[in-house]
Amino acid sequence: MAAHSKYGGSVIGRVIACPGSVALCDTVPAKGSSSYAEEGTLAHGFAEYALKHGDRTIHDYIGSTLDAKPGAKPLTEEMANAIQVYLDAVWAEFDKTKDAGIYVEKGFELEIESAEAGEVFGTNDAMVYHPSTGRLAVFDYKHGVGVSVTAEDNAQLKFYAAGAVFANDWQVNELILTIVQPRARDVDELGAVREWPFDMVELLEFKAEVTKAIMEAKDAATKIDLGPPNSLSALQCGSHCRWCDAAPVCPAKQAQALEPFEGVQTVEGLTVGDLPDPKDLVPARLSKIVAGLSVLNAYANQCQEYLEALLMQGIEVPGWKVVEKIGRAKWITDEQAIAGNLEILFGLDEDLIRPRKLTTITEVEKLLKGAGASKAEIDDFKLANTLKESSGLTVAPEGDRRPAVNAAEKAFGDVQT
């Protein structure tokens, strides 16, 4: 596996926002790979193979593996459907001119004044350059389902664009940055392919921003103090904390998580009775505490992941230990054979053993796409057979996209006076 730059594309947004995080991350063990990350790596591998071999469809490879190693996972239909969206976007860009060139998983190194040679590098998923027009399209494929990624002002994409422009001798007149995320939860709203035009002047400004951030990160590294009070300069909290390995030991993150609960002198031995009654809190204070819960919960989850990582490396943590997971019985015989035996030996109806049910709307959409149905046909089918209605009222932060509802009017709007 290729090494990752501590100032690379996947972390450059965090480095810019929080230069001190670089030095702090060097003090903690790196997180292990997750099943989601491994799935994403596999999807990128299949996409890379298809593009490098000039294949415009990936579905012919369903059931195949990237190598012959024991345990190698095959390409599934679900993964192929997602990858195909990415391939279609890249090839559609390629077809815009007759002299287009496609570059897949091409590595680059950025020369940054505040960094040493070979310290800032990365790899682009795919690029398409048109010499006749000077148009350069940079693609980043996201296989994940969870957090939706926008192309607009995306630091990772801008980093890849810098690598594409400054590491190649190309005359670039038009720069297009594209995120392809077919499995995002809000794909119906935002679309799977999200483009953002990036001005070359802004690209130069971004490179200067990276230079400044790396300089500040290196300066912070000389001031790190791992003893009490475990402080580190140049730390800033934000959305980037979600992906930071050092979040569980970050003093700024700790302060942010506990700030809404100021006034509580100690957490050790704390009980509900030690806290103020919610009825005694003014609305402003109540709002602040509830808003702080999301930060505190996220921080607690990061602490748990960090604790588990320490234990898995053999480091003792008071009050915790590593144990075998509780065993669960599972079928080891062919499903159809089990159903047949139960039906013959015990007279059980197969529909009771293996009940049939209509699959989810999301799964039906995937099946329709795989069958070649157009978006218009799928939308018409959903319009005729589905209904999207709210299950009731809920509470959300003020920044939520949904319009505010007057709960009292909603509850008593039909009451005649």
Side-chain angles (χ1 to χ4, degrees):
M1 181 179 294
H4 292 280
S5 168
K6 63 171 65 178
Y7 307 110
S10 62
V11 298
I12 196 62
R14 167 174 61 75
V15 176
I16 292 172
C18 181
S21 64
V22 178
L24 200 59
C25 283
D26 286 341
T27 70
V28 301
K31 292 180 181 177
S33 179
S34 67
S35 58
Y36 303 108
E38 292 172 357
E39 182 181 12
T41 300
L42 183 63
H44 274 83
F46 278 112
E48 176 187 357
Y49 183 89
L51 289 173
K52 284 186 173 180
H53 286 77
D55 294 323
R56 295 193 173 227
T57 179
I58 193 69
H59 288 86
D60 292 341
Y61 295 106
I62 292 177
S64 302
T65 59
L66 285 175
D67 56 56
K69 295 179 181 178
K73 294 185 178 180
L75 176 67
T76 64
E77 183 175 0
E78 180 184 11
M79 184 179 289
N81 289 339
I83 295 172
Q84 189 60 53
V85 177
Y86 172 53
L87 297 185
D88 289 344
V90 176
W91 287 117
E93 177 65 35
F94 178 81
D95 290 336
K96 290 183 183 296
T97 63
K98 294 182 178 180
D99 64 343
I102 185 169
Y103 307 85
V104 183
E105 294 294 329
K106 185 175 181 181
F108 61 85
E109 179 184 334
L110 279 181
E111 293 183 4
I112 301 293
E113 294 176 10
S114 54
E116 298 178 6
E119 200 170 21
V120 185
F121 58 89
T123 302
N124 275 312
D125 286 349
M127 304 179 290
V128 177
Y129 177 61
H130 307 270
S132 58
T133 63
R135 176 183 168 98
L136 172 62
V138 179
F139 292 85
D140 187 24
Y141 176 59
K142 302 293 186 185
H143 190 68
V145 177
V147 180
S148 182
V149 182
T150 178
E152 185 175 351
D153 202 28
N154 184 301
Q156 183 175 12
L157 257 183
K158 290 193 287 187
F159 181 84
Y160 292 152
V165 172
F166 297 122
N168 294 285
D169 187 21
W170 293 335
Q171 177 63 46
V172 179
N173 301 320
E174 182 183 12
L175 183 57
I176 304 296
L177 310 186
T178 305
I179 289 284
V180 182
Q181 190 178 16
R183 302 167 70 230
R185 291 171 183 166
D186 53 1
V187 67
D188 289 337
E189 179 182 353
L190 300 179
V193 182
R194 303 153 199 172
E195 293 185 347
W196 186 56
F198 192 35
D199 187 83
M200 290 296 293
V201 174
E202 292 180 297
L203 183 63
L204 292 171
E205 293 174 350
F206 173 74
K207 189 177 181 183
E209 192 176 12
V210 171
T211 301
K212 179 175 179 291
I214 293 177
M215 181 176 63
E216 292 178 353
K218 288 178 174 290
D219 179 64
T222 66
K223 299 176 181 178
I224 186 169
D225 176 16
L226 294 181
N230 194 26
S231 62
L232 182 67
S233 62
L235 289 172
Q236 296 293 330
C237 295
S239 58
H240 51 273
C241 295
R242 177 171 185 165
W243 314 111
C244 182
D245 289 349
V249 299
C250 176
K253 190 66 179 175
Q254 293 166 1
Q256 183 200 40
L258 297 176
E259 188 271 336
F261 309 96
E262 60 183 348
V264 178
Q265 298 301 315
T266 177
V267 175
E268 186 175 355
L270 188 70
T271 66
V272 174
D274 298 321
L275 300 172
D277 191 318
K279 291 182 292 184
D280 296 332
L281 299 174
V282 297
R285 174 69 168 157
L286 191 64
S287 172
K288 192 174 184 181
I289 290 175
V290 174
L293 283 176
S294 61
V295 177
L296 188 61
N297 287 334
Y299 174 64
N301 289 335
Q302 288 176 309
C303 286
Q304 181 175 344
E305 291 177 2
Y306 182 60
L307 180 147
E308 292 174 357
L310 291 177
L311 288 169
M312 290 300 181
Q313 294 177 45
I315 300 173
E316 291 187 6
V317 179
W320 298 89
K321 62 183 179 180
V322 178
V323 298
E324 292 282 353
K325 291 183 178 180
I326 297 175
R328 293 284 187 265
K330 61 181 180 180
W331 298 115
I332 58 173
T333 313
D334 178 72
E335 184 178 303
Q336 188 171 355
I338 292 173
N341 288 334
L342 288 171
E343 187 175 11
I344 295 172
L345 298 175
F346 301 98
L348 297 178
D349 191 302
E350 185 173 353
D351 284 337
L352 294 176
I353 303 166
R354 297 198 296 173
R356 300 179 184 180
K357 66 176 182 178
L358 190 63
T359 189
T360 65
I361 296 172
T362 301
E363 287 299 323
V364 167
E365 284 188 72
K366 291 179 181 178
L367 292 172
L368 289 173
K369 289 177 182 177
S374 66
K375 186 178 185 303
E377 290 174 323
I378 295 174
D379 289 343
D380 288 343
F381 178 83
K382 288 174 62 180
L383 185 64
N385 295 281
T386 66
L387 175 64
K388 191 174 184 178
E389 59 182 1
S390 172
S391 58
L393 300 180
T394 188
V395 174
E398 196 170 26
D400 191 275
R401 289 196 300 257
R402 292 165 291 183
V405 175
N406 187 309
E409 289 183 1
K410 191 77 172 178
F412 302 108
D414 296 331
V415 177
Q416 302 295 320
T417 57

